[in-house]
Amino acid sequence: MAKKVTYDFKFPGFEKFENLVENSTAITGQIVFSEYYKGLMKDVITNDVNFAYWDHHDGYSVVMNQADRFMGQLVYDSEFKEVLDAAKDFLSRMFR
């Protein structure tokens, strides 16, 4: 029976998260998941994990999905998203 591992997440702050998303986005606007997941492993998941770790441990897709959902929920529930959406709306109206 495989040993059960608990993975803990931390909020790295909005600036780090926005940088992570920006640095993981291709010129076409698509997310480059290898870069995004690398950032989640570095700045969100508190366990010492990297791509090599997952070669010998189960749960890669489950943990990455949960880390992504963790960050998405924090950002969605914050006023940060509301302010950014208002700023984008303002800019789109001003510079049509």
Side-chain angles (χ1 to χ4, degrees), residues 6-17:
T6 300
Y7 296 93
D8 296 312
F9 307 138
K10 68 176 182 185
F11 179 64
F14 285 108
E15 182 176 11
K16 269 193 176 182
F17 184 67

mmCIF file with all atom_site columns, all heavy atoms in Angstrom, residues 6-17:
data_model
loop_
_atom_site.group_PDB
_atom_site.id
_atom_site.type_symbol
_atom_site.label_atom_id
_atom_site.label_alt_id
_atom_site.label_comp_id
_atom_site.label_asym_id
_atom_site.label_entity_id
_atom_site.label_seq_id
_atom_site.pdbx_PDB_ins_code
_atom_site.Cartn_x
_atom_site.Cartn_y
_atom_site.Cartn_z
_atom_site.occupancy
_atom_site.B_iso_or_equiv
_atom_site.pdbx_formal_charge
_atom_site.auth_seq_id
_atom_site.auth_comp_id
_atom_site.auth_asym_id
_atom_site.auth_atom_id
_atom_site.pdbx_PDB_model_num
ATOM 1   N N   . THR A 1 6  ? 0.238  14.176 2.383   1.00 0.00 ? 6  THR A N   1
ATOM 2   C CA  . THR A 1 6  ? -0.593 15.387 2.426   1.00 0.00 ? 6  THR A CA  1
ATOM 3   C C   . THR A 1 6  ? 0.212  16.533 1.827   1.00 0.00 ? 6  THR A C   1
ATOM 4   O O   . THR A 1 6  ? 1.372  16.743 2.192   1.00 0.00 ? 6  THR A O   1
ATOM 5   C CB  . THR A 1 6  ? -0.984 15.729 3.877   1.00 0.00 ? 6  THR A CB  1
ATOM 6   O OG1 . THR A 1 6  ? -1.707 14.633 4.418   1.00 0.00 ? 6  THR A OG1 1
ATOM 7   C CG2 . THR A 1 6  ? -1.832 16.991 3.930   1.00 0.00 ? 6  THR A CG2 1
ATOM 8   N N   . TYR A 1 7  ? -0.405 17.249 0.907   1.00 0.00 ? 7  TYR A N   1
ATOM 9   C CA  . TYR A 1 7  ? 0.249  18.392 0.280   1.00 0.00 ? 7  TYR A CA  1
ATOM 10  C C   . TYR A 1 7  ? -0.409 19.655 0.805   1.00 0.00 ? 7  TYR A C   1
ATOM 11  O O   . TYR A 1 7  ? -1.631 19.772 0.817   1.00 0.00 ? 7  TYR A O   1
ATOM 12  C CB  . TYR A 1 7  ? 0.125  18.300 -1.244  1.00 0.00 ? 7  TYR A CB  1
ATOM 13  C CG  . TYR A 1 7  ? 0.860  17.092 -1.784  1.00 0.00 ? 7  TYR A CG  1
ATOM 14  C CD1 . TYR A 1 7  ? 0.196  15.887 -1.967  1.00 0.00 ? 7  TYR A CD1 1
ATOM 15  C CD2 . TYR A 1 7  ? 2.212  17.161 -2.063  1.00 0.00 ? 7  TYR A CD2 1
ATOM 16  C CE1 . TYR A 1 7  ? 0.867  14.773 -2.429  1.00 0.00 ? 7  TYR A CE1 1
ATOM 17  C CE2 . TYR A 1 7  ? 2.890  16.038 -2.530  1.00 0.00 ? 7  TYR A CE2 1
ATOM 18  C CZ  . TYR A 1 7  ? 2.220  14.855 -2.703  1.00 0.00 ? 7  TYR A CZ  1
ATOM 19  O OH  . TYR A 1 7  ? 2.892  13.755 -3.150  1.00 0.00 ? 7  TYR A OH  1
ATOM 20  N N   . ASP A 1 8  ? 0.415  20.589 1.238   1.00 0.00 ? 8  ASP A N   1
ATOM 21  C CA  . ASP A 1 8  ? -0.084 21.847 1.784   1.00 0.00 ? 8  ASP A CA  1
ATOM 22  C C   . ASP A 1 8  ? 0.190  22.970 0.799   1.00 0.00 ? 8  ASP A C   1
ATOM 23  O O   . ASP A 1 8  ? 1.201  22.966 0.086   1.00 0.00 ? 8  ASP A O   1
ATOM 24  C CB  . ASP A 1 8  ? 0.601  22.144 3.121   1.00 0.00 ? 8  ASP A CB  1
ATOM 25  C CG  . ASP A 1 8  ? 0.269  21.105 4.175   1.00 0.00 ? 8  ASP A CG  1
ATOM 26  O OD1 . ASP A 1 8  ? -0.918 20.785 4.329   1.00 0.00 ? 8  ASP A OD1 1
ATOM 27  O OD2 . ASP A 1 8  ? 1.200  20.608 4.830   1.00 0.00 ? 8  ASP A OD2 1
ATOM 28  N N   . PHE A 1 9  ? -0.729 23.928 0.781   1.00 0.00 ? 9  PHE A N   1
ATOM 29  C CA  . PHE A 1 9  ? -0.616 25.075 -0.114  1.00 0.00 ? 9  PHE A CA  1
ATOM 30  C C   . PHE A 1 9  ? -0.514 26.358 0.696   1.00 0.00 ? 9  PHE A C   1
ATOM 31  O O   . PHE A 1 9  ? -1.038 26.443 1.799   1.00 0.00 ? 9  PHE A O   1
ATOM 32  C CB  . PHE A 1 9  ? -1.846 25.170 -1.023  1.00 0.00 ? 9  PHE A CB  1
ATOM 33  C CG  . PHE A 1 9  ? -2.155 23.913 -1.782  1.00 0.00 ? 9  PHE A CG  1
ATOM 34  C CD1 . PHE A 1 9  ? -3.459 23.471 -1.903  1.00 0.00 ? 9  PHE A CD1 1
ATOM 35  C CD2 . PHE A 1 9  ? -1.153 23.178 -2.386  1.00 0.00 ? 9  PHE A CD2 1
ATOM 36  C CE1 . PHE A 1 9  ? -3.761 22.322 -2.608  1.00 0.00 ? 9  PHE A CE1 1
ATOM 37  C CE2 . PHE A 1 9  ? -1.445 22.023 -3.108  1.00 0.00 ? 9  PHE A CE2 1
ATOM 38  C CZ  . PHE A 1 9  ? -2.759 21.596 -3.206  1.00 0.00 ? 9  PHE A CZ  1
ATOM 39  N N   . LYS A 1 10 ? 0.161  27.340 0.108   1.00 0.00 ? 10 LYS A N   1
ATOM 40  C CA  . LYS A 1 10 ? 0.238  28.664 0.713   1.00 0.00 ? 10 LYS A CA  1
ATOM 41  C C   . LYS A 1 10 ? -0.062 29.699 -0.369  1.00 0.00 ? 10 LYS A C   1
ATOM 42  O O   . LYS A 1 10 ? 0.165  29.469 -1.560  1.00 0.00 ? 10 LYS A O   1
ATOM 43  C CB  . LYS A 1 10 ? 1.617  28.930 1.315   1.00 0.00 ? 10 LYS A CB  1
ATOM 44  C CG  . LYS A 1 10 ? 2.704  29.046 0.265   1.00 0.00 ? 10 LYS A CG  1
ATOM 45  C CD  . LYS A 1 10 ? 4.045  29.408 0.824   1.00 0.00 ? 10 LYS A CD  1
ATOM 46  C CE  . LYS A 1 10 ? 5.030  29.532 -0.346  1.00 0.00 ? 10 LYS A CE  1
ATOM 47  N NZ  . LYS A 1 10 ? 6.367  29.759 0.065   1.00 0.00 ? 10 LYS A NZ  1
ATOM 48  N N   . PHE A 1 11 ? -0.565 30.812 0.056   1.00 0.00 ? 11 PHE A N   1
ATOM 49  C CA  . PHE A 1 11 ? -0.831 31.912 -0.872  1.00 0.00 ? 11 PHE A CA  1
ATOM 50  C C   . PHE A 1 11 ? 0.454  32.725 -1.018  1.00 0.00 ? 11 PHE A C   1
ATOM 51  O O   . PHE A 1 11 ? 0.942  33.287 -0.040  1.00 0.00 ? 11 PHE A O   1
ATOM 52  C CB  . PHE A 1 11 ? -1.971 32.777 -0.342  1.00 0.00 ? 11 PHE A CB  1
ATOM 53  C CG  . PHE A 1 11 ? -2.288 33.939 -1.223  1.00 0.00 ? 11 PHE A CG  1
ATOM 54  C CD1 . PHE A 1 11 ? -2.764 33.733 -2.503  1.00 0.00 ? 11 PHE A CD1 1
ATOM 55  C CD2 . PHE A 1 11 ? -2.120 35.232 -0.776  1.00 0.00 ? 11 PHE A CD2 1
ATOM 56  C CE1 . PHE A 1 11 ? -3.066 34.803 -3.335  1.00 0.00 ? 11 PHE A CE1 1
ATOM 57  C CE2 . PHE A 1 11 ? -2.413 36.303 -1.597  1.00 0.00 ? 11 PHE A CE2 1
ATOM 58  C CZ  . PHE A 1 11 ? -2.888 36.088 -2.874  1.00 0.00 ? 11 PHE A CZ  1
ATOM 59  N N   . PRO A 1 12 ? 1.033  32.812 -2.221  1.00 0.00 ? 12 PRO A N   1
ATOM 60  C CA  . PRO A 1 12 ? 2.307  33.510 -2.398  1.00 0.00 ? 12 PRO A CA  1
ATOM 61  C C   . PRO A 1 12 ? 2.177  35.026 -2.521  1.00 0.00 ? 12 PRO A C   1
ATOM 62  O O   . PRO A 1 12 ? 3.181  35.720 -2.608  1.00 0.00 ? 12 PRO A O   1
ATOM 63  C CB  . PRO A 1 12 ? 2.845  32.916 -3.701  1.00 0.00 ? 12 PRO A CB  1
ATOM 64  C CG  . PRO A 1 12 ? 1.607  32.628 -4.488  1.00 0.00 ? 12 PRO A CG  1
ATOM 65  C CD  . PRO A 1 12 ? 0.581  32.187 -3.461  1.00 0.00 ? 12 PRO A CD  1
ATOM 66  N N   . GLY A 1 13 ? 0.960  35.533 -2.544  1.00 0.00 ? 13 GLY A N   1
ATOM 67  C CA  . GLY A 1 13 ? 0.731  36.958 -2.761  1.00 0.00 ? 13 GLY A CA  1
ATOM 68  C C   . GLY A 1 13 ? 0.292  37.198 -4.196  1.00 0.00 ? 13 GLY A C   1
ATOM 69  O O   . GLY A 1 13 ? 0.581  36.400 -5.091  1.00 0.00 ? 13 GLY A O   1
ATOM 70  N N   . PHE A 1 14 ? -0.409 38.283 -4.384  1.00 0.00 ? 14 PHE A N   1
ATOM 71  C CA  . PHE A 1 14 ? -0.963 38.568 -5.712  1.00 0.00 ? 14 PHE A CA  1
ATOM 72  C C   . PHE A 1 14 ? 0.114  38.861 -6.743  1.00 0.00 ? 14 PHE A C   1
ATOM 73  O O   . PHE A 1 14 ? 0.008  38.442 -7.886  1.00 0.00 ? 14 PHE A O   1
ATOM 74  C CB  . PHE A 1 14 ? -1.953 39.732 -5.640  1.00 0.00 ? 14 PHE A CB  1
ATOM 75  C CG  . PHE A 1 14 ? -3.260 39.330 -5.036  1.00 0.00 ? 14 PHE A CG  1
ATOM 76  C CD1 . PHE A 1 14 ? -3.616 39.756 -3.772  1.00 0.00 ? 14 PHE A CD1 1
ATOM 77  C CD2 . PHE A 1 14 ? -4.131 38.499 -5.718  1.00 0.00 ? 14 PHE A CD2 1
ATOM 78  C CE1 . PHE A 1 14 ? -4.810 39.367 -3.205  1.00 0.00 ? 14 PHE A CE1 1
ATOM 79  C CE2 . PHE A 1 14 ? -5.337 38.105 -5.163  1.00 0.00 ? 14 PHE A CE2 1
ATOM 80  C CZ  . PHE A 1 14 ? -5.674 38.547 -3.906  1.00 0.00 ? 14 PHE A CZ  1
ATOM 81  N N   . GLU A 1 15 ? 1.160  39.568 -6.340  1.00 0.00 ? 15 GLU A N   1
ATOM 82  C CA  . GLU A 1 15 ? 2.191  39.902 -7.320  1.00 0.00 ? 15 GLU A CA  1
ATOM 83  C C   . GLU A 1 15 ? 2.866  38.642 -7.862  1.00 0.00 ? 15 GLU A C   1
ATOM 84  O O   . GLU A 1 15 ? 3.016  38.489 -9.077  1.00 0.00 ? 15 GLU A O   1
ATOM 85  C CB  . GLU A 1 15 ? 3.238  40.837 -6.721  1.00 0.00 ? 15 GLU A CB  1
ATOM 86  C CG  . GLU A 1 15 ? 4.293  41.249 -7.731  1.00 0.00 ? 15 GLU A CG  1
ATOM 87  C CD  . GLU A 1 15 ? 5.285  42.252 -7.192  1.00 0.00 ? 15 GLU A CD  1
ATOM 88  O OE1 . GLU A 1 15 ? 5.306  42.499 -5.970  1.00 0.00 ? 15 GLU A OE1 1
ATOM 89  O OE2 . GLU A 1 15 ? 6.050  42.789 -8.010  1.00 0.00 ? 15 GLU A OE2 1
ATOM 90  N N   . LYS A 1 16 ? 3.247  37.723 -6.973  1.00 0.00 ? 16 LYS A N   1
ATOM 91  C CA  . LYS A 1 16 ? 3.874  36.482 -7.435  1.00 0.00 ? 16 LYS A CA  1
ATOM 92  C C   . LYS A 1 16 ? 2.915  35.677 -8.297  1.00 0.00 ? 16 LYS A C   1
ATOM 93  O O   . LYS A 1 16 ? 3.314  35.092 -9.304  1.00 0.00 ? 16 LYS A O   1
ATOM 94  C CB  . LYS A 1 16 ? 4.334  35.633 -6.246  1.00 0.00 ? 16 LYS A CB  1
ATOM 95  C CG  . LYS A 1 16 ? 5.731  35.914 -5.830  1.00 0.00 ? 16 LYS A CG  1
ATOM 96  C CD  . LYS A 1 16 ? 6.239  34.849 -4.889  1.00 0.00 ? 16 LYS A CD  1
ATOM 97  C CE  . LYS A 1 16 ? 7.689  35.148 -4.592  1.00 0.00 ? 16 LYS A CE  1
ATOM 98  N NZ  . LYS A 1 16 ? 8.281  34.158 -3.721  1.00 0.00 ? 16 LYS A NZ  1
ATOM 99  N N   . PHE A 1 17 ? 1.651  35.641 -7.902  1.00 0.00 ? 17 PHE A N   1
ATOM 100 C CA  . PHE A 1 17 ? 0.696  34.871 -8.692  1.00 0.00 ? 17 PHE A CA  1
ATOM 101 C C   . PHE A 1 17 ? 0.499  35.495 -10.067 1.00 0.00 ? 17 PHE A C   1
ATOM 102 O O   . PHE A 1 17 ? 0.473  34.798 -11.082 1.00 0.00 ? 17 PHE A O   1
ATOM 103 C CB  . PHE A 1 17 ? -0.639 34.715 -7.975  1.00 0.00 ? 17 PHE A CB  1
ATOM 104 C CG  . PHE A 1 17 ? -1.588 33.845 -8.742  1.00 0.00 ? 17 PHE A CG  1
ATOM 105 C CD1 . PHE A 1 17 ? -1.331 32.494 -8.908  1.00 0.00 ? 17 PHE A CD1 1
ATOM 106 C CD2 . PHE A 1 17 ? -2.724 34.376 -9.330  1.00 0.00 ? 17 PHE A CD2 1
ATOM 107 C CE1 . PHE A 1 17 ? -2.188 31.681 -9.641  1.00 0.00 ? 17 PHE A CE1 1
ATOM 108 C CE2 . PHE A 1 17 ? -3.586 33.573 -10.055 1.00 0.00 ? 17 PHE A CE2 1
ATOM 109 C CZ  . PHE A 1 17 ? -3.316 32.223 -10.210 1.00 0.00 ? 17 PHE A CZ  1
#
